[in-house]
Amino acid sequence: MSAPRPTVVSAARRRTALDALRRGAVPESGLDLLATGLDRFESALDVELDAVASGASVFKAVRGEYGSGKTFFTRWLGERAKQRNFAVSEIQISETETPLHRLETVYRRLTERLATASFPPSALRPVADAWFYALEEDALAAGAGETELDAEVEKLLAARLAEVSRHAPSFATALRGYRSALAGGDEATASAILAWLGGQPHVAAAARRSAGVRGDLDHFGALGFLQGLLTVLRDSGHRGLFVVLDEVETLQRVRSDARDKALNALRQLIDEVHSGRFPGLYLVITGTPAFFDGQQGVQRLAPLAQRLATDFTTDPRFDNPRAVQLRLPGFTQESLTGLGVTIRDLYASGATAPDRIRTMADDAYVADLARAVAGSLGGKVGVAPRLFLKKLVADVLDRVDQFEDFDPRRHYRLTVTSTELTDVERNLSAAVSADAIDLEL
């Protein structure tokens, strides 16, 4: 059953969500206010999140065409993870900025994008500080006095990171160096050591020497550091880490050698998750059906294809949300209209004249606008949500709210210019030459 939507929404949450839609972006938070059609996933995914919070690990693949809501879905799931006191990190995979076959770069992006319910990215430093505070509290609770506190904290550090140190001993070494620099009042060195711990390259040699570590993090060390980060998160009060690797379909466009390395890195990650090496990790990837089913994607590596194999031959109504792959079927005209009505009602709940919002932009008008926007994109309803919501909020609802005599049926003419479109939207728009499309009502 779908979780009940809050009857009272704070002005800040409403504003955050609507501001993002106004810009044509997916909101970073408040997604429970906008979620429609996700109730069929809730129970199974909540069970998985609870299992991860208890020390399990989960890998999930989310498939859907452009516009089907993959980014919305993963951020919605990330919010549910945050409600369980998970840390979260969303990483965009790209050939130049974050190539998947370089796991040290993926780890670096993870720490840069690390967020908690209390701290925005990057939350690495607050998490590390909270961990040392927890170690000190545990040492004091065990009877340590002020004179022996440092030694007892060192014992706890070594014990908590014993398993991690088998694979990546420099992780614990760097944490010791960070604490030592802080104790000595050397903020610059402490920050540099923490940057190195977060996978940043080109950290000053003097800082690395003071911490007793060498060089930069490499591909294999990244997995050990991820293991260490999970331990630190758990001991500092977080129940898990939710990580999204978004847009992995970009692998289809890279050189064949890099693509093969990336696909093998993905297989390695899946195997490590399933082996139990990363307790407390919920790892999600997103991609298009072409990536999962095509010969330039997952099918290029047979062991990876086997691990991700999921039956999608049945009616989507009977898709198994417990399976390794989830299918987002995308929007229909009906569901797009329903989403627009949800946004309209959210907007009206904080408007100066809510009744006028609901009257001027009634359900019939919202449906007509949805059809018109989809028509401007070659009739591809599945690609229309981003542009439709942008037009609805910025061009219609904002004007109705601010101008008493504005009637969208009389005063608004839908225009779609190439500069406001993404590449995919622009390609579809070109097919119908939609520089200006009348909204006939």
Side-chain angles (χ1 to χ4, degrees):
M1 177 178 292
S2 176
R5 191 167 284 133
T7 54
V8 178
V9 180
S10 72
R13 293 188 76 212
R14 184 189 307 110
R15 182 174 60 251
T16 297
L18 293 174
D19 281 351
L21 297 177
R22 191 178 284 118
R23 300 191 310 270
V26 175
E28 294 283 348
S29 61
L31 296 169
D32 57 310
L33 306 176
L34 317 178
T36 58
L38 299 182
D39 53 318
R40 64 195 180 100
F41 297 114
E42 285 184 359
S43 296
L45 296 179
D46 284 349
V47 167
E48 290 180 348
L49 286 171
D50 290 340
V52 172
S54 299
S57 53
V58 166
F59 172 85
K60 213 78 168 179
V62 178
R63 64 188 275 147
E65 297 288 1
Y66 178 89
S68 62
K70 297 188 294 296
T71 299
F72 183 96
F73 177 87
T74 54
R75 288 184 183 172
W76 167 79
L77 185 54
E79 281 201 342
R80 298 181 82 81
K82 270 188 182 179
Q83 290 167 5
R84 289 165 169 76
N85 202 21
F86 278 54
V88 302
S89 186
E90 178 184 319
I91 305 161
Q92 300 292 320
I93 297 300
S94 72
E95 179 182 9
T96 55
E97 296 296 321
T98 315
L100 185 55
H101 68 281
R102 297 183 63 85
L103 290 181
E104 67 273 25
T105 304
V106 174
Y107 172 79
R108 181 165 82 243
R109 298 286 181 249
L110 189 159
T111 61
E112 289 171 351
R113 297 290 299 155
L114 187 69
T116 68
S118 302
F119 295 97
S122 169
L124 181 60
R125 181 159 192 166
V127 165
D129 290 345
W131 186 64
F132 279 116
Y133 177 79
L135 293 185
E136 290 175 359
E137 290 296 298
D138 288 349
L140 291 171
E146 287 297 326
T147 57
E148 51 202 13
L149 181 59
D150 283 347
E152 292 303 312
V153 167
E154 169 59 30
K155 289 180 183 177
L156 286 174
L157 183 152
R160 303 279 172 87
L161 294 178
E163 178 62 24
V164 175
S165 294
R166 290 178 52 226
H167 304 282
S170 56
F171 187 86
T173 301
L175 279 171
R176 292 187 183 94
Y178 170 69
R179 185 167 186 260
S180 177
L182 283 181
D186 190 346
E187 171 62 30
T189 297
S191 296
I193 295 171
L194 196 66
W196 186 88
L197 196 67
Q200 296 295 332
H202 315 307
V203 171
R208 284 186 275 117
R209 278 197 304 272
S210 72
V213 295
R214 297 179 179 180
D216 293 331
L217 184 64
D218 62 16
H219 176 92
F220 299 102
L223 294 176
F225 274 39
L226 175 58
Q227 199 175 358
L229 178 61
L230 287 165
T231 300
V232 169
L233 283 166
R234 183 179 63 245
D235 288 350
S236 60
H238 297 284
R239 302 185 69 195
L241 173 62
F242 179 84
V243 177
V244 178
L245 304 180
D246 204 8
E247 299 182 359
V248 293
E249 69 267 13
T250 57
L251 297 182
Q252 298 171 102
R253 300 192 290 272
V254 305
R255 294 191 327 271
S256 61
D257 59 335
R259 185 189 313 138
D260 290 343
K261 290 178 183 177
L263 293 172
N264 194 58
L266 182 56
R267 182 217 39 92
Q268 182 184 5
L269 273 174
I270 294 173
D271 287 351
E272 295 281 13
V273 169
H274 290 160
S275 74
R277 181 177 177 182
F278 301 123
L281 177 65
Y282 196 119
L283 178 62
V284 180
I285 67 170
T286 73
T288 58
F291 169 73
F292 291 108
D293 301 336
Q295 292 304 313
Q296 298 307 312
V298 167
Q299 300 304 315
R300 188 178 175 93
L301 183 64
L304 178 60
Q306 180 269 323
R307 286 157 176 75
L308 294 177
T310 305
D311 177 20
F312 290 118
T313 59
T314 56
D315 188 309
R317 292 180 301 157
F318 305 119
D319 282 358
N320 178 14
R322 298 173 183 170
V324 67
Q325 269 194 69
L326 297 182
R327 170 169 56 178
L328 300 183
F331 283 89
T332 62
Q333 189 63 48
E334 180 181 6
S335 61
L336 187 61
T337 299
L339 177 58
V341 169
T342 297
I343 301 303
R344 189 270 321 276
D345 290 343
L346 176 66
Y347 193 109
S349 68
T352 53
D355 291 340
R356 181 153 49 86
I357 294 288
R358 294 189 178 94
T359 300
M360 291 292 99
D362 59 14
D363 292 5
Y365 178 84
V366 172
D368 286 338
L369 182 62
R371 275 192 294 273
V373 173
S376 75
L377 298 173
K380 302 292 186 181
V381 178
V383 184
R386 187 196 72 85
L387 187 61
F388 165 61
L389 296 178
K390 181 176 186 290
K391 296 293 185 182
L392 177 64
V393 174
D395 291 356
V396 176
L397 299 180
D398 278 349
R399 285 170 169 153
V400 173
D401 190 42
Q402 296 176 86
F403 306 106
E404 291 186 11
D405 56 344
F406 178 78
D407 181 347
R409 289 178 173 83
R410 295 172 51 216
H411 303 128
Y412 177 60
R413 178 173 178 252
L414 175 66
T415 58
V416 179
T417 60
S418 62
T419 55
E420 63 184 323
L421 301 179
T422 64
D423 290 341
V424 173
E425 293 166 346
R426 192 176 298 113
N427 290 338
L428 292 170
S429 179
V432 293
S433 301
D435 289 329
I437 295 178
D438 286 323
L439 177 54
E440 300 290 348
L441 297 168

